[in-house]
Amino acid sequence: MLEIVHLTKKFGPLVAVDDVSFTVPAGEVLGFLGPNGAGKSTTMKMITGFLAPTAGTAIICGHDILRKPLRAKRQIGYLPEGAPAYPDMSAAEFLDFIAHIAELINIADIMHQPIETLSKGYRRRVGVAQALLHDPAVVILDEPTDGLDPNQKHEMRGIIRAMRADKAIIISTHLLEEVEAVCSRAIIIARGRILADGTPAELAARSPYHNAVRVALPEAGDPMIAGELARLPGVRSVEPANDGDGAGWWVFPRGPDPIVAEVAELVRRRGWAVTALRAERGRLDDVFRAITMPEPVGSEPHRAAA
């Protein structure tokens, strides 16, 4: 439904987007992740035809955004970051025939209120409503929950999940919680290039904490316990836990297989006074930092990960 083909954007000597390619089929919610300045918004603007690429193109429902821009844009619903709206108009005037969308986005109470008087969260909702007004096949949302309170974020995520069945959706964001909450797939971009592409679970599995076991103790960690844990066949290392969750140890697996059953059995046999024991599935924020941190001068560049 949406195909991005070797998109590149240069601003003088600066390469803002560097040969980016990916596809988004119907039914998929893609989280487009990256730090500030990574090239996320520039990519979104090229996909939607707001910015001409230096090279490459975007194909929306079979229509090339460069060769058939009107046909392509009819298939797109776009919420840009800081979406503009006429401040002296009411939400009803701005959206016009939006009655069915108004219920979905939950803006009926403010439909006749001037947009300039609305909170940032409600302005964002109005922006999402206008992006969905023509029932587009492809929906591109740049920071859709920006300015929303926790209840509004919950509602917006529900709307996105409800839309996903028959639409291709891209959410450009730097919020990892957003990706874990609504996305079926995530791409991490930095310095204009795609550095990782996979499901949130696949990316989280790249964390050093994937399948690690957190053993919590009532007091400072006993070195004897750490020593016995370290001698388990599936254990690579044991390290003190200094994460604000109380005293204890992190037990890291030697390979990809889970070790929580092995650790739990040892705890049971020894009768240790353990207050909690849990397995980690991986930390997306660790993976994000490892991938997007600037590379040391002289190092080899990252390659895109499938």
Side-chain angles (χ1 to χ4, degrees):
M1 187 167 284
L2 174 62
E3 183 180 2
I4 312 306
V5 185
H6 300 296
L7 271 183
T8 299
K9 184 61 180 179
K10 298 179 181 179
F11 296 99
L14 173 66
V15 182
V17 176
D18 189 1
D19 195 23
V20 165
S21 297
F22 60 89
T23 60
V24 186
E28 184 165 85
V29 180
L30 172 67
F32 202 55
L33 275 167
N36 291 334
K40 302 189 303 298
S41 292
T42 301
T43 301
M44 300 299 100
K45 290 175 183 176
M46 288 191 288
I47 293 172
T48 54
F50 281 80
L51 185 65
T54 304
T57 191
I59 311 296
I60 297 93
C61 299
H63 306 299
D64 190 310
I65 193 66
L66 298 179
R67 296 178 180 176
K68 299 179 180 178
L70 292 181
R71 291 185 182 181
K73 290 178 182 180
R74 288 192 186 104
Q75 304 298 322
I76 300 173
Y78 178 40
L79 175 69
E81 186 177 11
Y86 298 106
D88 58 336
M89 293 178 65
S90 69
E93 291 167 334
F94 181 61
L95 297 173
D96 201 7
F97 305 107
I98 194 65
H100 62 294
I101 296 293
E103 293 181 11
L104 177 66
I105 306 298
N106 195 17
I107 58 173
D109 291 344
I110 54 86
M111 281 291 285
H112 299 284
Q113 192 172 326
I115 290 174
E116 64 183 353
T117 68
L118 300 180
S119 68
K120 185 176 181 181
Y122 271 114
R123 291 187 192 193
R124 205 66 181 148
R125 291 196 199 192
V126 173
V128 172
Q130 66 81 25
L132 301 178
L133 181 60
H134 57 299
D135 193 24
V138 175
V139 179
I140 298 175
L141 307 175
D142 201 346
E143 305 289 354
T145 61
D146 181 41
L148 303 188
D149 65 33
N151 290 334
Q152 293 169 333
K153 285 184 179 181
H154 179 76
E155 291 177 4
M156 188 63 67
R157 290 166 182 168
I159 291 166
I160 293 169
R161 283 191 289 266
M163 290 191 300
R164 66 180 293 176
D166 59 351
K167 299 183 187 300
I169 303 173
I170 299 180
I171 300 173
S172 176
T173 183
H174 62 275
L175 300 177
L176 301 180
E177 64 179 76
E178 201 89 328
V179 172
E180 294 178 310
V182 298
C183 295
S184 54
R185 176 179 160 212
I187 282 177
I188 297 178
I189 184 173
R191 300 174 292 280
R193 289 181 290 167
I194 292 177
L195 304 182
D197 184 351
T199 67
E202 288 169 343
L203 296 182
R206 296 170 59 170
S207 164
Y209 287 90
H210 178 60
N211 282 339
V213 177
R214 173 68 156 83
V215 179
L217 303 166
E219 299 176 355
D222 186 338
M224 179 272 292
I225 292 178
E228 291 208 40
L229 288 168
R231 285 192 287 273
L232 288 171
V235 172
R236 170 175 56 83
S237 64
V238 178
E239 299 177 10
N242 299 310
D243 51 14
D245 288 340
W249 302 95
W250 277 111
V251 186
F252 293 95
R254 186 179 300 278
D257 297 327
I259 57 170
V260 63
E262 199 175 345
V263 172
E265 174 60 20
L266 178 62
V267 168
R268 187 194 63 79
R269 290 202 316 266
R270 294 291 188 266
W272 291 331
V274 169
T275 58
L277 189 151
R278 72 171 190 270
E280 285 277 325
R281 69 178 183 86
R283 299 180 176 184
L284 198 54
D285 55 346
D286 290 332
V287 177
F288 181 85
R289 283 195 300 271
I291 290 174
T292 61
M293 287 292 286
E295 301 162 356
V297 175
S299 65
E300 288 294 319
H302 288 292
R303 300 299 179 193

